[in-house]
C-alpha cells in the first residue's frame, strides 16, 4: 500500500483517567485545535462529539470508548477516549491492549484518585508508555506540584514536569515551557486557538530555574554520556532533552507531565506537542515474535511484513451491521481480501474498511501497520480474536477481562418482545465481553450479568432504545463464590449394574485450598495405570461440573487445587461417563467435609463530601458492613476510603445524596473476594435453598 504519512509519524493514543477528570473535554479540545472539528462540543451541554450515544449525552459520562483520527504537526494521531467509570472497565482494558501510548489525565484538585490507580495498573499490565496531563488548573484548590508528588509516591512513577503553571485557580494564566524556558499565554477571545510566548515573569524565574534544573537532571540520569556532559556544563541542549525524554518515555522510565485547563482552553496544544514528541510510533514498538515448531515468525512493525491484527472491539451498527474494530500490528490489508481468524479457525472476507470519527465513518481502500480501523464482513469474529492470513497463521495474546460481579433476571415485557430479546442480548454480549447472558434451566429465567448497577442499567436502556425491546428486570443478585478452607482426601466408587453393560468408575481425590485469586488447577498423580489415561480428562470434567454449582450453597467454587492420585477401572464397565460421575460425586462429598465457606465481592469505595457530613458518611459506610481504611483532606471536602461488600452497596447513590444533601458522591471498584460472616452466610444459604424449592 502507498502511505500518505510515514509510519514514524503515526501516534495511537488513548486518554485514561478517573471519572470526571475531564477526558472527553480534553479530547474535544484536541479535535478542535488540530482542525478536525470547527466547534467545541461540551460534555455538560450533551454536545461532545466523542460522547455520541444518547445515554452518554444525557448522563454526562463516557460509556463506550470512541475512536477518531486527526493530525498535528504533520503527524497522524488516532485517539481513543475511554470511560472513567469502573462499570465500563472493559472499554479501558481493550483500548490499552492495542494502543502504543496513553495520556494519563489527573484532576488538579483530586489528584491520584481510585480509578486513576486502576487504569494506571491496567496500562502497566500492557507496558503502555504515558505522558501525564494535570487538568482543571483553574479550579479552586488546584495544586500542580501536589499532583506531581502523588503520581511519584502513589503510583511509583518517575513523573518529570516539562511545563509548570503560571498561577493557579482563578489566576491560572498559562504555562512555562521548561525545555524552551518561555512563558506561554493563550488568547481567550478565540478560545485559545492562538497563543504567544514571552519571557518568563521575573517573580517566577527562580521557580522556573529550579524545575528546569530538575528536568535536566532527570534527563541526564537516563544516559551516561549526557550525565558526563551535565556534570561538566550543568545543562543540556533542547535537542538533547527532547531526544532523551522520548527514549526514556518509550522505555517507561519517565512520565513527562503537562498541565492546563481544557475547559478554559489553556495548555492543550503543548500536550499535543508532547504526544508527537515523546509517545512512540508503531515502529518504536518491539516486533512480536511468534514461536512455533518450525522456528520463530517475526511480525515486524512495517507494511511489508506478514499481516497480523487484533479485533479489540465489536459494535452493532444499525446501518452497517457488525463493525469489527481492529489494530494492525504488521503488514497491510485491502478491502475485499479474504482473511483468516486463527482464534476461531475461520476464513472470512473483509467487505469494507472504515476510518472512524466517533460514530461517523470514512471508507478507505486499504489499511497498513499501525492503523486502527473498523471493518465490515467479519461476522464470526469476537473481541480478542487474531486476524491474519491462512498461509501465515499467527496467534496474538488475547485480552483479559474481569469477571462480572452482579447479575439480574430479565424477561420480555410482551410476547412481541420475546423473539427480539434473544437477538438483542446476543448483539450486546458480542460488543461487551463483561456482559454475560445465560439461561437458568431451573427457574426458566434469562440472567444477565455485568460489572455493576450502572452497567446493567445502561444495557437494559440500550435494549429499549436501540433494539426496541422492553425488558422487565428482576432484583440484582451478587456473584457469590464458595471455597474450601482445609485440605482433604477421599474416594468414591460409581458402580451400577442393571443387566448388560454396567457403569464402573473409581477415583481417589485430594482437595486443597489455594490462595485467593489463584483459580482452579487439576493434577494427575495416578501411578501404574490404575485409571487408564483416556479417563483422566473425564475425571477433570466431573470435578469442573461439580464446581459450576457448588455443593455448599449452589455458587461456583473457586481457588481449589484438585489432584487425582489413585482409583481403579473395569475392563468392560468403565466409561467416560462413569468416571465423570465418580469424580463429580467424590468432589461434592469431600467439599462438604472440607469446612467450606461462602465468599462475596468486596468493593473499594471512596466517598467525598464536605467536612460537616463526615459523621454521616462514615456511619453510612459502617452500617453497610464497611471498614474505613483511611481519610484524607482535599480542598473543600474530605475523602473517606473503605472496603464494603457489594451486596450492601445497592442503592447507595441515593443514600449518600440523602445524608449529604446532594453534596457527596462516591466511586467504587472491585477489590477482591472475602469470606462472608457465618451468620450472614447462613441467611444467604437459607434463602438460596428456599428459592430453589419454590422453583
Amino acid at each position: 500500500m502507498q502511505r500518505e504519512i510515514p509510519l514514524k509519524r503515526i501516534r495511537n493514543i488513548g486518554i485514561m483517567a478517573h471519572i470526571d477528570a475531564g477526558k472527553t473535554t480534553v479530547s474535544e479540545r484536541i479535535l478542535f485545535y488540530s482542525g478536525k472539528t470547527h466547534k467545541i462540543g461540551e460534555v455538560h451541554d450533551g454536545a461532545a462529539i466523542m460522547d455520541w450515544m444518547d445515554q452518554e449525552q444525557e448522563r454526562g459520562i463516557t460509556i463506550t470508548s470512541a475512536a477518531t483520527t486527526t493530525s498535528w504537526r504533520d503527524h497522524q494521531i488516532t485517539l481513543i477516549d475511554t470511560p472513567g467509570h469502573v462499570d465500563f472497565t472493559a472499554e479501558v482494558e481493550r483500548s490499552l491492549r492495542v494502543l502504543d501510548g496513553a495520556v494519563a489525565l489527573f484532576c488538579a484538585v483530586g489528584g491520584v484518585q481510585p480509578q486513576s490507580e486502576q487504569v494506571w495498573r491496567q496500562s502497566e499490565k500492557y507496558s503502555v508508555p504515558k505522558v501525564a496531563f494535570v487538568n482543571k488548573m483553574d479550579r479552586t484548590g488546584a495544586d500542580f506540584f501536589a499532583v506531581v508528588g502523588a503520581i511519584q509516591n502513589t503510583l511509583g512513577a518517575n513523573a518529570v514536569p516539562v511545563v509548570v503553571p503560571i498561577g493557579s485557580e482563578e489566576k491560572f494564566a498559562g504555562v512555562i515551557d521548561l525545555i524552551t524556558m518561555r512563558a506561554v499565554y493563550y488568547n481567550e477571545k478565540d478560545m485559545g486557538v492562538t497563543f504567544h510566548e514571552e519571557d518568563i515573569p521575573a517573580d517566577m524565574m527562580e521557580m522556573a530555574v529550579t524545575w528546569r534544573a530538575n528536568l535536566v537532571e532527570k534527563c541526564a540520569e537516563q544516559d551516561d554520556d549526557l550525565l558526563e556532559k551535565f556534570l561538566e556544563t550543568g545543562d543540556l541542549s533542547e535537542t538533547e532533552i527532547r531526544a532523551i525524554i522520548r527514549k526514556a518515555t518509550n522505555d517507561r522510565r519517565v512520565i513527562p507531565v503537562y498541565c492546563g485547563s481544557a475547559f478554559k482552553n489553556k495548555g492543550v496544544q503543548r500536550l499535543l506537542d508532547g504526544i508527537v514528541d515523546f509517545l512512540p510510533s508503531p515502529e518504536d514498538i518491539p516486533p512480536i515474535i511468534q514461536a512455533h515448531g518450525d522456528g520463530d515468525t517475526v511480525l515486524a512493525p512495517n507494511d511489508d511484513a506478514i499481516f497480523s491484527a487484533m479485533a479489540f472491539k465489536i459494535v452493532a451498527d444499525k446501518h452497517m451491521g457488525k463493525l469489527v474494530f481492529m489494530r494492525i500490528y504488521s503488514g497491510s490489508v485491502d478491502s475485499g481480501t479474504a482473511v483468516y481468524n486463527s482464534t476461531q479457525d475461520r476464513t472470512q472476507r473483509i467487505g469494507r474498511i472504515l476510518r472512524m470519527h466517533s460514530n461517523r465513518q470514512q471508507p478507505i481502500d486499504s489499511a497498513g501497520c499501525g492503523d486502527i480501523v473498523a471493518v465490515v464482513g467479519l461476522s464470526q469474529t469476537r473481541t480478542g480474536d487474531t486476524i491474519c492470513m491462512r498461509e501465515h497463521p499467527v496467534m496474538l495474546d488475547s485480552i483479559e477481562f474481569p469477571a462480572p460481579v452482579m447479575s439480574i433476571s430479565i424477561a420480555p415485557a410482551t410476547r412481541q418482545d420475546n423473539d427480539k430479546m434473544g437477538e438483542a442480548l446476543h448483539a450486546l454480549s458480542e460488543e461487551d465481553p463483561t456482559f454475560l447472558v445465560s439461561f437458568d434451566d431451573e427457574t426458566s429465567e434469562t440472567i444477565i450479568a455485568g460489572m455493576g448497577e450502572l452497567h446493567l442499567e445502561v444495557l437494559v436502556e440500550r435494549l429499549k432504545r436501540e433494539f426496541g425491546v422492553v425488558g422487565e428486570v428482576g432484583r440484582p443478585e451478587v456473584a457469590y463464590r464458595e471455597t474450601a478452607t482445609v485440605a482433604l482426601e477421599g474416594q468414591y466408587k460409581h458402580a451400577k449394574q442393571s443387566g448388560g453393560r454396567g457403569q464402573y468408575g473409581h477415583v481417589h481425590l485430594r482437595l486443597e485450598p489455594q490462595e485467593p485469586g489463584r483459580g482452579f488447577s487439576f493434577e494427575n498423580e495416578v501411578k501404574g495405570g490404575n485409571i487408564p489415561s483416556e479417563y483422566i480428562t473425564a475425571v477433570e470434567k466431573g470435578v469442573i461440573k461439580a464446581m459450576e454449582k457448588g455443593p455448599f450453597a449452589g455458587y461456583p467454587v473457586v481457588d481449589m487445587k484438585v489432584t487425582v492420585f489413585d482409583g481403579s477401572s473395569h475392563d468392560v464397565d468403565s466409561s467416560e461417563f462413569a468416571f465423570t460421575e465418580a469424580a463429580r460425586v467424590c468432589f461434592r462429598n469431600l467439599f462438604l467435609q472440607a469446612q467450606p465457606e461462602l465468599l462475596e465481592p468486596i468493593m473499594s469505595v471512596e466517598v467525598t463530601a464536605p467536612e460537616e457530613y463526615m459523621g454521616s458518611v462514615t456511619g453510612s459506610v459502617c452500617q453497610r458492613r464497611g471498614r474505613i481504611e483511611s481519610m484524607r483532606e482535599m480542598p473543600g471536602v474530605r475523602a473517606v476510603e473503605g472496603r464494603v461488600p457489594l451486596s450492601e452497596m445497592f442503592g447507595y447513590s441515593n443514600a449518600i445524596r440523602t445524608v449529604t444533601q446532594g453534596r457527596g458522591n462516591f466511586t467504587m471498584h472491585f477489590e477482591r473476594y472475602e469470606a462472608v460472616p457465618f451468620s450472614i452466610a447462613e441467611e444467604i444459604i437459607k434463602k438460596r435453598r428456599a428459592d430453589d424449592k419454590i422453583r
Side-chain angles (χ1 to χ4, degrees):
M1 62 172 284
Q2 291 295 317
R3 276 197 173 275
E4 294 179 12
I5 299 175
L7 198 58
K8 67 180 180 183
R9 295 215 304 264
I10 288 179
R11 303 288 182 269
N12 294 318
I13 65 153
I15 299 187
M16 61 180 205
H18 186 86
I19 190 169
D20 203 32
K23 293 179 299 302
T24 302
T25 304
V26 170
S27 299
E28 294 295 322
R29 267 52 180 189
I30 286 175
L31 296 181
F32 180 66
Y33 295 132
S34 62
K36 185 71 177 182
T37 59
H38 304 290
K39 179 178 178 291
I40 293 176
E42 300 292 10
V43 175
H44 58 270
D45 293 334
I49 290 164
M50 300 297 275
D51 284 351
W52 57 270
M53 287 175 61
D54 291 343
Q55 291 196 69
E56 292 179 314
Q57 294 168 0
E58 290 167 10
R59 297 170 186 264
I61 62 171
T62 300
I63 292 171
T64 181
S65 53
T68 190
T69 303
T70 187
S71 60
W72 183 256
R73 283 173 35 196
D74 295 325
H75 286 67
Q76 175 184 299
I77 299 174
T78 298
L79 169 70
I80 296 183
D81 174 27
T82 63
H85 198 287
V86 66
D87 281 18
F88 308 106
T89 186
E91 293 290 335
V92 183
E93 190 82 26
R94 60 177 158 203
S95 298
L96 290 172
R97 170 64 181 83
V98 299
L99 292 171
D100 300 326
V103 176
L105 208 65
F106 299 93
C107 172
V109 180
V112 178
Q113 297 165 286
Q115 193 62 12
S116 309
E117 295 184 60
Q118 178 81 355
V119 295
W120 190 275
R121 285 197 296 268
Q122 287 173 291
S123 71
E124 286 294 293
K125 180 166 74 173
Y126 296 116
S127 303
V128 179
K130 294 171 282 290
V131 299
F133 184 73
V134 180
N135 192 28
K136 302 190 178 184
M137 282 302 303
D138 60 306
R139 288 269 303 274
T140 302
D143 190 335
F144 172 75
F145 300 107
V147 177
V148 172
I151 296 171
Q152 293 168 337
N153 299 325
T154 307
L155 301 177
N158 188 14
V160 180
V162 290
V163 304
V164 291
I166 300 173
S168 64
E169 302 179 344
E170 72 277 0
K171 294 181 180 176
F172 177 63
V175 299
I176 295 173
D177 188 322
L178 297 175
I179 299 177
T180 62
M181 285 300 277
R182 299 284 288 170
V184 186
Y185 296 92
Y186 296 85
N187 187 348
E188 295 185 6
K189 292 180 181 178
D190 63 6
M191 295 187 293
V193 173
T194 59
F195 54 90
H196 65 280
E197 297 184 6
E198 297 179 5
D199 292 336
I200 298 171
D203 61 338
M204 298 196 70
M205 182 57 80
E206 184 180 345
M207 183 266 285
V209 168
T210 300
W211 283 101
R212 159 80 180 195
N214 173 76
L215 171 64
V216 173
E217 188 177 329
K218 294 284 188 183
C219 289
E221 289 172 359
Q222 308 301 321
D223 184 275
D224 290 341
D225 293 337
L226 290 182
L227 181 60
E228 193 173 321
K229 179 182 176 182
F230 170 69
L231 293 173
E232 288 176 5
T233 65
D235 203 359
L236 300 173
S237 69
E238 285 184 29
T239 304
E240 288 169 329
I241 291 173
R242 292 186 197 280
I244 195 60
I245 292 179
R246 176 175 180 77
K247 186 176 187 311
T249 302
N250 290 354
D251 294 341
R252 295 169 44 246
R253 289 181 282 124
V254 159
I255 308 293
V257 186
Y258 292 83
C259 70
S261 167
F263 185 60
K264 292 295 178 68
N265 309 307
K266 295 174 182 174
V268 176
Q269 289 98 321
R270 276 300 193 271
L271 172 63
L272 275 165
D273 288 337
I275 290 168
V276 165
D277 289 341
F278 304 137
L279 288 180
S281 71
E283 69 178 15
D284 294 321
I285 305 300
I288 300 167
I289 298 176
Q290 294 272 291
H292 46 75
D294 302 330
D296 292 342
T297 299
V298 178
L299 304 177
N302 62 62
D303 295 333
D304 300 322
I306 294 169
F307 173 68
S308 66
M310 170 163 285
F312 70 95
K313 182 177 170 70
I314 310 294
V315 173
D317 187 282
K318 53 186 165 187
H319 303 297
M320 305 289 290
K322 183 174 178 178
L323 290 180
V324 176
F325 283 71
M326 68 181 190
R327 157 69 196 263
I328 301 176
Y329 283 96
S330 61
S332 60
V333 69
D334 299 326
S335 58
T337 303
V339 293
Y340 177 56
N341 183 329
S342 59
T343 311
Q344 306 289 337
D345 190 21
R346 292 175 183 270
T347 299
Q348 291 183 284
R349 189 172 300 278
I350 291 178
R352 300 176 70 186
I353 303 176
L354 307 167
R355 200 175 293 289
M356 300 300 295
H357 177 45
S358 189
N359 63 329
R360 299 197 291 278
Q361 302 117 4
Q362 173 197 347
I364 55 177
D365 296 327
S366 60
C369 177
D371 282 341
I372 293 177
V373 293
V375 298
V376 179
L378 306 184
S379 58
Q380 302 297 318
T381 297
R382 297 190 307 230
T383 300
D385 287 358
T386 298
I387 309 298
C388 55
M389 295 297 177
R390 185 173 277 280
E391 56 269 28
H392 298 293
V394 294
M395 184 75 75
L396 303 176
D397 291 339
S398 192
I399 311 172
E400 296 177 11
F401 294 104
V405 296
M406 184 182 293
S407 63
I408 56 176
S409 64
I410 188 167
T414 65
R415 188 173 294 176
Q416 288 84 352
D417 289 328
N418 196 38
D419 295 334
K420 292 192 292 183
M421 177 171 280
E423 294 176 13
L425 289 174
H426 177 71
L428 289 176
S429 65
E430 274 201 323
E431 285 189 21
D432 187 347
T434 58
F435 174 59
L436 300 184
V437 182
S438 60
F439 187 77
D440 192 320
D441 292 320
E442 292 184 17
T443 63
S444 298
E445 289 180 324
T446 299
I447 306 297
I448 57 175
M451 300 306 297
E453 278 185 292
L454 179 61
H455 187 202
L456 293 174
E457 184 185 319
V458 165
L459 287 163
V460 171
E461 187 66 21
R462 285 187 65 192
L463 274 178
K464 181 179 177 182
R465 294 190 187 195
E466 296 175 28
F467 300 93
V469 177
V470 179
E472 292 182 345
V473 174
R475 60 187 174 82
E477 294 284 349
V478 175
Y480 291 104
R481 300 285 185 263
E482 49 189 87
T483 192
T485 56
V486 298
L488 210 62
E489 291 183 359
Q491 62 166 316
Y492 181 79
K493 185 183 292 183
H494 178 77
K496 290 192 176 181
Q497 196 72 42
S498 56
R501 183 178 175 180
Q503 297 175 24
Y504 186 91
H506 179 209
V507 296
H508 287 249
L509 298 183
R510 183 186 307 120
L511 272 59
E512 298 170 87
Q514 300 204 100
E515 294 173 13
R518 285 289 300 274
F520 166 66
S521 62
F522 180 83
E523 289 193 7
N524 172 25
E525 292 182 1
V526 176
K527 301 285 194 300
N530 288 354
I531 298 177
S533 57
E534 64 264 28
Y535 295 136
I536 297 298
T537 303
V539 174
E540 183 178 5
K541 185 177 170 185
V543 170
I544 292 171
K545 192 173 180 182
M547 291 176 66
E548 286 172 355
K549 191 170 183 180
F552 182 51
Y555 295 104
V557 177
V558 295
D559 301 330
M560 295 295 300
K561 178 183 177 183
V562 179
T563 305
V564 55
F565 61 91
D566 202 359
S568 62
S569 64
H570 189 278
D571 292 341
V572 177
D573 293 347
S574 286
S575 64
E576 283 195 10
F577 173 80
F579 274 99
T580 298
E581 194 64 12
R584 185 184 70 82
V585 178
C586 186
F587 179 89
R588 288 181 66 86
N589 294 345
L590 282 174
F591 187 82
L592 289 171
Q593 300 171 46
Q595 298 179 20
E597 65 181 10
L598 196 63
L599 304 175
E600 63 183 345
I602 302 295
M603 312 304 284
S604 176
V605 178
E606 181 182 81
V607 188
T608 55
E611 171 76 42
E612 59 264 35
Y613 300 107
M614 274 300 100
S616 301
V617 167
T618 54
S620 72
V621 172
C622 295
Q623 283 169 6
R624 287 169 163 74
R625 294 196 285 126
R627 301 190 304 270
I628 304 293
E629 301 277 320
S630 66
M631 297 177 70
R632 58 191 172 92
E633 288 194 30
M634 297 167 63
V637 295
R638 292 191 74 179
V640 176
E641 292 184 37
R643 304 285 183 268
V644 188
L646 175 63
S647 59
E648 304 289 342
M649 291 301 292
F650 297 140
Y652 189 61
S653 54
N654 289 332
I656 200 64
R657 287 191 201 109
T658 301
V659 299
T660 62
Q661 297 181 357
R663 298 175 64 192
N665 57 65
F666 80 101
T667 59
M668 69 175 182
H669 65 265
F670 172 73
E671 188 72 23
R672 59 180 174 268
Y673 272 91
E674 286 184 5
V676 180
F678 181 73
S679 58
I680 295 172
E682 275 192 320
E683 289 299 316
I684 293 169
I685 295 168
K686 192 185 297 180
K687 187 174 184 310
R688 174 89 170 182
R689 288 172 181 164
D691 288 344
D692 287 345
K693 282 182 182 176
I694 292 170
R695 292 164 188 164

